[in-house]
Amino acid sequence: MKIGTTPFIPQNVALPNAQKAAIFSGNQLICEMDLGHLAIPADTGNKLYSFGALADVHLQYDTAQNDFQRALQYLNGTVDFICIAGDLTSGGTDAQLAEYKNYVDTYSANTPVYAITGNHEAYRGADLPNIIEQYTGHPLYYSFTRGNDVFIMVGVKGDASGSLFTTEELQWLYETLEANRNKRCFLFEHVRPQDACGNAYGIYSYDIWGGTEQTVFESLLRHYKNVIMFHGHSHLKYNLQTKTNKANIDWNTFGTWQVHVSSLAVPRTGDPSGASSRVEVYADSEGYVVDVYENGILLRGRDFVAEKFLPIATYWLDTTLQTVAAGTYTDSTGTIITD
Protein backbone atom coordinates (compact mmCIF):
# COMPACT_ATOMS: atom_id res chain seq x y z
CA MET A 1 0.00 0.00 0.00
CA LYS A 2 1.52 3.33 -1.04
CA ILE A 3 1.26 6.23 1.39
CA GLY A 4 3.53 8.83 -0.24
CA THR A 5 1.91 12.21 0.41
CA THR A 6 -1.63 10.88 0.04
CA PRO A 7 -3.81 12.58 2.70
CA PHE A 8 -5.48 9.80 4.65
CA ILE A 9 -8.15 10.59 7.22
CA PRO A 10 -8.70 8.81 10.57
CA GLN A 11 -11.22 6.41 9.03
CA ASN A 12 -8.82 5.23 6.31
CA VAL A 13 -7.51 1.70 6.75
CA ALA A 14 -5.43 -0.61 4.63
CA LEU A 15 -7.00 -3.23 2.41
CA PRO A 16 -7.60 -6.54 4.22
CA ASN A 17 -4.60 -8.31 2.66
CA ALA A 18 -2.11 -5.47 3.28
CA GLN A 19 0.83 -6.30 5.55
CA LYS A 20 3.02 -3.18 5.37
CA ALA A 21 2.75 0.49 4.53
CA ALA A 22 5.37 2.07 2.28
CA ILE A 23 6.58 5.54 1.41
CA PHE A 24 7.58 6.19 -2.20
CA SER A 25 9.15 9.10 -4.01
CA GLY A 26 7.84 8.59 -7.51
CA ASN A 27 8.56 4.93 -8.13
CA GLN A 28 11.45 4.79 -5.63
CA LEU A 29 10.75 2.98 -2.37
CA ILE A 30 11.90 5.13 0.56
CA CYS A 31 10.91 2.90 3.46
CA GLU A 32 8.41 0.38 4.74
CA MET A 33 6.64 0.41 8.10
CA ASP A 34 4.00 -1.39 10.11
CA LEU A 35 0.44 -0.48 9.26
CA GLY A 36 -0.14 1.16 12.64
CA HIS A 37 -3.46 3.05 12.69
CA LEU A 38 -4.09 1.97 9.08
CA ALA A 39 -4.66 -1.60 10.27
CA ILE A 40 -8.24 -2.79 10.42
CA PRO A 41 -9.28 -2.90 14.11
CA ALA A 42 -8.94 -6.24 15.85
CA ASP A 43 -12.40 -6.03 17.44
CA THR A 44 -14.48 -6.05 14.26
CA GLY A 45 -16.50 -9.07 15.32
CA ASN A 46 -17.55 -11.61 12.74
CA LYS A 47 -18.05 -10.69 9.11
CA LEU A 48 -21.76 -11.01 8.38
CA TYR A 49 -22.23 -10.23 4.68
CA SER A 50 -21.13 -7.94 1.83
CA PHE A 51 -23.00 -5.67 -0.57
CA GLY A 52 -22.17 -3.45 -3.51
CA ALA A 53 -22.94 0.27 -3.25
CA LEU A 54 -23.32 2.06 -6.59
CA ALA A 55 -24.78 5.36 -7.77
CA ASP A 56 -25.35 7.42 -10.89
CA VAL A 57 -25.40 4.68 -13.50
CA HIS A 58 -26.88 7.01 -16.16
CA LEU A 59 -27.23 4.01 -18.40
CA GLN A 60 -27.60 5.92 -21.67
CA TYR A 61 -24.47 8.08 -21.21
CA ASP A 62 -21.45 7.39 -23.42
CA THR A 63 -19.61 4.44 -21.78
CA ALA A 64 -22.34 3.72 -19.20
CA GLN A 65 -23.53 0.46 -20.75
CA ASN A 66 -20.04 -1.02 -20.58
CA ASP A 67 -19.53 0.38 -17.08
CA PHE A 68 -22.77 -1.09 -15.75
CA GLN A 69 -22.17 -4.47 -17.35
CA ARG A 70 -18.61 -4.59 -15.99
CA ALA A 71 -19.67 -3.69 -12.45
CA LEU A 72 -22.60 -6.12 -12.37
CA GLN A 73 -20.48 -8.97 -13.71
CA TYR A 74 -17.84 -8.31 -11.04
CA LEU A 75 -20.34 -7.98 -8.18
CA ASN A 76 -22.61 -10.84 -9.26
CA GLY A 77 -21.76 -13.68 -6.90
CA THR A 78 -19.01 -11.62 -5.19
CA VAL A 79 -21.42 -9.81 -2.85
CA ASP A 80 -24.75 -10.84 -1.35
CA PHE A 81 -26.71 -8.01 -2.96
CA ILE A 82 -26.31 -4.60 -4.60
CA CYS A 83 -27.81 -1.23 -3.64
CA ILE A 84 -27.97 1.60 -6.19
CA ALA A 85 -28.46 5.16 -4.94
CA GLY A 86 -30.40 6.58 -7.88
CA ASP A 87 -29.94 8.01 -11.38
CA LEU A 88 -30.25 4.64 -13.04
CA THR A 89 -30.97 6.27 -16.41
CA SER A 90 -30.57 9.58 -18.18
CA GLY A 91 -34.25 10.49 -18.31
CA GLY A 92 -36.50 7.83 -16.81
CA THR A 93 -38.35 6.96 -20.02
CA ASP A 94 -39.92 3.53 -20.49
CA ALA A 95 -37.28 2.57 -23.04
CA GLN A 96 -34.44 3.64 -20.75
CA LEU A 97 -35.86 1.91 -17.68
CA ALA A 98 -36.48 -1.23 -19.74
CA GLU A 99 -32.82 -1.17 -20.76
CA TYR A 100 -31.83 -0.86 -17.09
CA LYS A 101 -34.01 -3.86 -16.20
CA ASN A 102 -32.51 -5.91 -19.01
CA TYR A 103 -28.95 -5.24 -17.78
CA VAL A 104 -29.87 -6.25 -14.23
CA ASP A 105 -31.68 -9.40 -15.36
CA THR A 106 -28.83 -10.39 -17.67
CA TYR A 107 -25.71 -9.53 -15.67
CA SER A 108 -26.88 -9.84 -12.04
CA ALA A 109 -28.93 -13.00 -12.31
CA ASN A 110 -27.61 -14.44 -9.04
CA THR A 111 -27.38 -11.25 -6.97
CA PRO A 112 -30.43 -9.16 -5.97
CA VAL A 113 -30.33 -5.47 -6.89
CA TYR A 114 -32.13 -2.94 -4.69
CA ALA A 115 -32.39 0.38 -6.53
CA ILE A 116 -34.03 3.74 -5.92
CA THR A 117 -34.84 6.65 -8.19
CA GLY A 118 -32.71 9.76 -8.59
CA ASN A 119 -33.55 13.17 -9.98
CA HIS A 120 -32.92 11.93 -13.54
CA GLU A 121 -35.74 9.40 -13.20
CA ALA A 122 -37.84 12.32 -11.95
CA TYR A 123 -37.49 13.93 -15.39
CA ARG A 124 -40.22 11.47 -16.31
CA GLY A 125 -42.84 13.40 -14.39
CA ALA A 126 -45.76 12.72 -12.10
CA ASP A 127 -46.31 9.04 -12.95
CA LEU A 128 -42.84 7.97 -11.74
CA PRO A 129 -44.12 6.58 -8.39
CA ASN A 130 -46.67 4.47 -10.28
CA ILE A 131 -44.26 3.02 -12.84
CA ILE A 132 -40.89 2.48 -11.13
CA GLU A 133 -41.74 -0.90 -9.61
CA GLN A 134 -42.40 -2.30 -13.08
CA TYR A 135 -38.74 -1.82 -14.01
CA THR A 136 -36.87 -2.17 -10.70
CA GLY A 137 -39.07 -4.62 -8.81
CA HIS A 138 -39.45 -2.11 -5.97
CA PRO A 139 -41.68 0.90 -5.23
CA LEU A 140 -40.53 4.49 -4.80
CA TYR A 141 -39.61 3.86 -1.16
CA TYR A 142 -39.29 0.60 0.77
CA SER A 143 -37.17 -1.28 3.30
CA PHE A 144 -35.72 -4.76 3.71
CA THR A 145 -33.70 -6.55 6.36
CA ARG A 146 -30.49 -8.51 6.39
CA GLY A 147 -30.03 -10.30 9.70
CA ASN A 148 -30.48 -7.64 12.39
CA ASP A 149 -29.74 -4.77 9.98
CA VAL A 150 -32.34 -2.68 8.19
CA PHE A 151 -31.94 -1.19 4.70
CA ILE A 152 -34.10 1.87 4.07
CA MET A 153 -34.43 2.86 0.42
CA VAL A 154 -35.73 6.40 -0.16
CA GLY A 155 -36.39 7.31 -3.80
CA VAL A 156 -37.00 10.85 -5.03
CA LYS A 157 -39.89 11.94 -7.23
CA GLY A 158 -38.77 15.47 -8.15
CA ASP A 159 -35.90 17.51 -9.56
CA ALA A 160 -36.21 20.80 -7.70
CA SER A 161 -35.48 22.06 -4.22
CA GLY A 162 -38.34 21.23 -1.87
CA SER A 163 -39.98 18.69 -4.19
CA LEU A 164 -37.94 15.51 -3.71
CA PHE A 165 -40.26 13.72 -1.30
CA THR A 166 -43.97 13.56 -0.56
CA THR A 167 -45.25 14.16 2.97
CA GLU A 168 -46.32 10.49 3.01
CA GLU A 169 -42.76 9.40 2.24
CA LEU A 170 -41.29 11.53 5.02
CA GLN A 171 -43.91 10.16 7.42
CA TRP A 172 -43.00 6.61 6.35
CA LEU A 173 -39.31 7.40 6.85
CA TYR A 174 -39.96 8.63 10.38
CA GLU A 175 -42.06 5.57 11.24
CA THR A 176 -39.45 3.20 9.80
CA LEU A 177 -36.60 4.86 11.70
CA GLU A 178 -38.59 5.00 14.92
CA ALA A 179 -39.51 1.31 14.69
CA ASN A 180 -35.83 0.41 14.11
CA ARG A 181 -34.23 3.15 16.21
CA ASN A 182 -31.88 0.77 18.05
CA LYS A 183 -30.84 -1.24 15.03
CA ARG A 184 -28.16 -0.50 12.45
CA CYS A 185 -29.93 1.22 9.57
CA PHE A 186 -28.39 1.63 6.12
CA LEU A 187 -30.25 4.47 4.42
CA PHE A 188 -29.90 4.97 0.65
CA GLU A 189 -31.08 8.22 -0.93
CA HIS A 190 -29.86 9.91 -4.10
CA VAL A 191 -29.36 13.62 -3.40
CA ARG A 192 -26.61 14.51 -0.96
CA PRO A 193 -27.70 16.53 2.08
CA GLN A 194 -26.56 20.10 1.60
CA ASP A 195 -23.79 20.13 4.20
CA ALA A 196 -22.77 16.48 3.98
CA CYS A 197 -19.78 14.92 2.26
CA GLY A 198 -19.59 14.53 -1.50
CA ASN A 199 -18.83 18.06 -2.64
CA ALA A 200 -15.08 18.55 -2.33
CA TYR A 201 -14.25 22.27 -2.34
CA GLY A 202 -17.68 23.13 -3.74
CA ILE A 203 -17.18 22.04 -7.35
CA TYR A 204 -20.71 20.65 -7.61
CA SER A 205 -23.14 23.57 -7.58
CA TYR A 206 -26.45 21.95 -8.63
CA ASP A 207 -28.04 21.81 -5.17
CA ILE A 208 -31.67 20.66 -5.02
CA TRP A 209 -31.72 20.02 -1.28
CA GLY A 210 -33.95 22.57 0.43
CA GLY A 211 -37.28 23.69 1.84
CA THR A 212 -39.27 22.16 4.67
CA GLU A 213 -38.35 18.65 3.53
CA GLN A 214 -34.67 19.45 4.15
CA THR A 215 -35.45 20.52 7.69
CA VAL A 216 -37.43 17.36 8.35
CA PHE A 217 -34.98 14.96 6.71
CA GLU A 218 -31.96 16.43 8.47
CA SER A 219 -33.73 16.44 11.84
CA LEU A 220 -34.38 12.70 11.38
CA LEU A 221 -30.69 12.12 10.65
CA ARG A 222 -29.66 14.01 13.76
CA HIS A 223 -32.08 12.12 16.00
CA TYR A 224 -31.69 8.53 14.82
CA LYS A 225 -28.04 7.90 15.67
CA ASN A 226 -27.75 4.41 14.18
CA VAL A 227 -28.18 5.51 10.56
CA ILE A 228 -25.43 5.10 7.95
CA MET A 229 -26.56 7.13 4.93
CA PHE A 230 -25.30 6.47 1.39
CA HIS A 231 -25.91 9.09 -1.31
CA GLY A 232 -24.65 9.95 -4.79
CA HIS A 233 -25.68 12.80 -7.13
CA SER A 234 -22.46 14.85 -7.29
CA HIS A 235 -20.42 12.10 -9.08
CA LEU A 236 -17.18 13.38 -7.52
CA LYS A 237 -14.16 11.09 -7.65
CA TYR A 238 -12.84 9.51 -4.49
CA ASN A 239 -9.36 10.98 -4.99
CA LEU A 240 -10.75 14.45 -4.25
CA GLN A 241 -9.99 13.55 -0.66
CA THR A 242 -6.69 15.19 -1.57
CA LYS A 243 -8.63 18.48 -1.38
CA THR A 244 -10.69 17.93 1.78
CA ASN A 245 -11.08 15.24 4.42
CA LYS A 246 -14.87 15.57 4.00
CA ALA A 247 -14.83 14.43 0.37
CA ASN A 248 -16.21 10.92 0.90
CA ILE A 249 -16.94 10.30 4.59
CA ASP A 250 -18.56 12.53 7.22
CA TRP A 251 -19.86 12.11 10.74
CA ASN A 252 -19.62 15.58 12.26
CA THR A 253 -22.43 17.24 10.29
CA PHE A 254 -25.32 15.15 11.61
CA GLY A 255 -23.77 12.89 14.23
CA THR A 256 -24.48 9.92 11.95
CA TRP A 257 -22.29 8.42 9.24
CA GLN A 258 -22.61 9.85 5.72
CA VAL A 259 -21.03 8.03 2.77
CA HIS A 260 -20.61 9.64 -0.65
CA VAL A 261 -20.82 7.14 -3.53
CA SER A 262 -19.04 8.25 -6.71
CA SER A 263 -20.52 7.71 -10.18
CA LEU A 264 -20.44 4.35 -11.89
CA ALA A 265 -20.50 5.98 -15.32
CA VAL A 266 -19.53 9.66 -15.16
CA PRO A 267 -17.15 10.48 -12.29
CA ARG A 268 -16.19 14.12 -12.00
CA THR A 269 -13.03 15.83 -10.82
CA GLY A 270 -11.80 19.39 -10.42
CA ASP A 271 -9.58 21.17 -12.89
CA PRO A 272 -5.81 21.05 -12.29
CA SER A 273 -5.77 24.50 -10.69
CA GLY A 274 -8.11 23.38 -7.94
CA ALA A 275 -10.65 26.00 -8.93
CA SER A 276 -14.36 25.50 -8.37
CA SER A 277 -15.06 23.79 -11.65
CA ARG A 278 -15.81 20.22 -12.59
CA VAL A 279 -14.53 17.92 -15.31
CA GLU A 280 -16.51 14.91 -16.60
CA VAL A 281 -14.44 11.70 -16.75
CA TYR A 282 -16.39 9.23 -18.88
CA ALA A 283 -13.50 6.79 -18.98
CA ASP A 284 -13.66 6.13 -15.22
CA SER A 285 -16.08 4.10 -13.09
CA GLU A 286 -16.21 3.99 -9.28
CA GLY A 287 -18.27 2.43 -6.48
CA TYR A 288 -17.92 0.50 -3.21
CA VAL A 289 -17.83 -3.03 -1.95
CA VAL A 290 -19.11 -2.90 1.63
CA ASP A 291 -18.15 -5.66 4.07
CA VAL A 292 -20.46 -5.67 7.09
CA TYR A 293 -19.12 -6.86 10.43
CA GLU A 294 -20.74 -7.10 13.84
CA ASN A 295 -19.07 -3.90 15.08
CA GLY A 296 -18.57 -1.85 11.94
CA ILE A 297 -18.32 -1.75 8.17
CA LEU A 298 -15.36 -1.85 5.81
CA LEU A 299 -15.83 0.33 2.74
CA ARG A 300 -13.62 -0.64 -0.19
CA GLY A 301 -13.75 1.96 -2.94
CA ARG A 302 -13.25 0.30 -6.31
CA ASP A 303 -12.12 1.47 -9.73
CA PHE A 304 -14.14 -0.85 -11.97
CA VAL A 305 -12.19 0.06 -15.12
CA ALA A 306 -8.73 -0.55 -13.68
CA GLU A 307 -10.16 -3.50 -11.71
CA LYS A 308 -8.57 -2.50 -8.43
CA PHE A 309 -9.49 -1.22 -4.99
CA LEU A 310 -8.48 2.31 -4.00
CA PRO A 311 -6.48 2.88 -0.78
CA ILE A 312 -7.69 6.49 -0.56
CA ALA A 313 -11.29 5.21 -0.48
CA THR A 314 -10.87 2.32 1.95
CA TYR A 315 -12.47 3.06 5.32
CA TRP A 316 -13.45 1.43 8.58
CA LEU A 317 -16.57 2.92 10.20
CA ASP A 318 -17.41 2.00 13.78
CA THR A 319 -21.14 1.30 13.92
CA THR A 320 -21.50 0.51 17.62
CA LEU A 321 -25.18 0.93 18.38
CA GLN A 322 -26.37 3.92 20.37
CA THR A 323 -29.56 3.89 22.44
CA VAL A 324 -32.36 6.09 21.11
CA ALA A 325 -35.30 6.43 23.51
CA ALA A 326 -38.74 5.69 22.12
CA GLY A 327 -41.05 8.55 21.26
CA THR A 328 -38.46 11.32 21.64
CA TYR A 329 -38.33 12.66 18.07
CA THR A 330 -39.88 16.08 17.51
CA ASP A 331 -40.48 17.92 14.24
CA SER A 332 -40.34 21.71 14.40
CA THR A 333 -42.20 22.05 11.08
CA GLY A 334 -45.29 20.07 12.05
CA THR A 335 -44.92 17.82 8.99
CA ILE A 336 -44.47 14.56 10.91
CA ILE A 337 -47.25 13.06 13.03
CA THR A 338 -45.57 11.45 16.04
CA ASP A 339 -48.55 10.24 18.08
Side-chain angles (χ1 to χ4, degrees), residues 1 13-19 35 38 40 298 300-301 309-311 314:
M1 176 180 181
V13 292
L15 291 165
N17 59 350
Q19 298 179 352
L35 290 174
L38 290 174
I40 298 172
L298 178 66
R300 292 186 282 149
F309 289 105
L310 303 169
T314 304

Side-chain angles (χ1 to χ4, degrees), residues 117-119 122 128 140 154-167 169-170 189-192 207-210 213-214 217 233:
T117 58
N119 63 298
L128 176 63
L140 186 67
V154 182
V156 302
K157 54 87 179 173
D159 182 47
S161 178
S163 70
L164 300 179
F165 316 107
T166 63
T167 299
E169 185 171 11
L170 292 173
E189 188 273 330
H190 178 65
V191 182
R192 51 174 292 277
D207 192 350
I208 54 176
W209 191 262
E213 64 182 17
Q214 174 182 341
F217 202 108
H233 189 57

Side-chain angles (χ1 to χ4, degrees), residues 161-236:
S161 178
S163 70
L164 300 179
F165 316 107
T166 63
T167 299
E168 292 76 14
E169 185 171 11
L170 292 173
Q171 180 70 29
W172 172 85
L173 178 58
Y174 155 70
E175 292 172 0
T176 304
L177 289 171
E178 176 68 16
N180 298 285
R181 62 190 177 277
N182 292 318
K183 295 181 180 180
R184 183 165 51 183
C185 293
F186 296 94
L187 193 161
F188 278 76
E189 188 273 330
H190 178 65
V191 182
R192 51 174 292 277
Q194 191 172 46
D195 299 319
C197 56
N199 195 16
Y201 64 103
I203 67 175
Y204 190 75
S205 60
Y206 184 58
D207 192 350
I208 54 176
W209 191 262
T212 299
E213 64 182 17
Q214 174 182 341
T215 302
V216 173
F217 202 108
E218 293 186 358
S219 70
L220 290 168
L221 291 177
R222 289 187 172 93
H223 184 78
Y224 292 102
K225 299 297 185 182
N226 297 309
V227 166
I228 306 101
M229 182 178 177
F230 289 74
H231 48 76
H233 189 57
S234 69
H235 296 212
L236 299 189

Side-chain angles (χ1 to χ4, degrees), residues 47 49-53 75 79-81 151 186 188 230 259 287-293 296-301 309:
K47 182 179 174 181
Y49 59 91
S50 297
F51 66 91
L75 294 170
V79 298
D80 295 278
F81 55 91
F151 285 75
F186 296 94
F188 278 76
F230 289 74
V259 179
Y288 283 112
V289 171
V290 184
D291 299 323
V292 181
Y293 292 79
I297 61 174
L298 178 66
L299 297 167
R300 292 186 282 149
F309 289 105

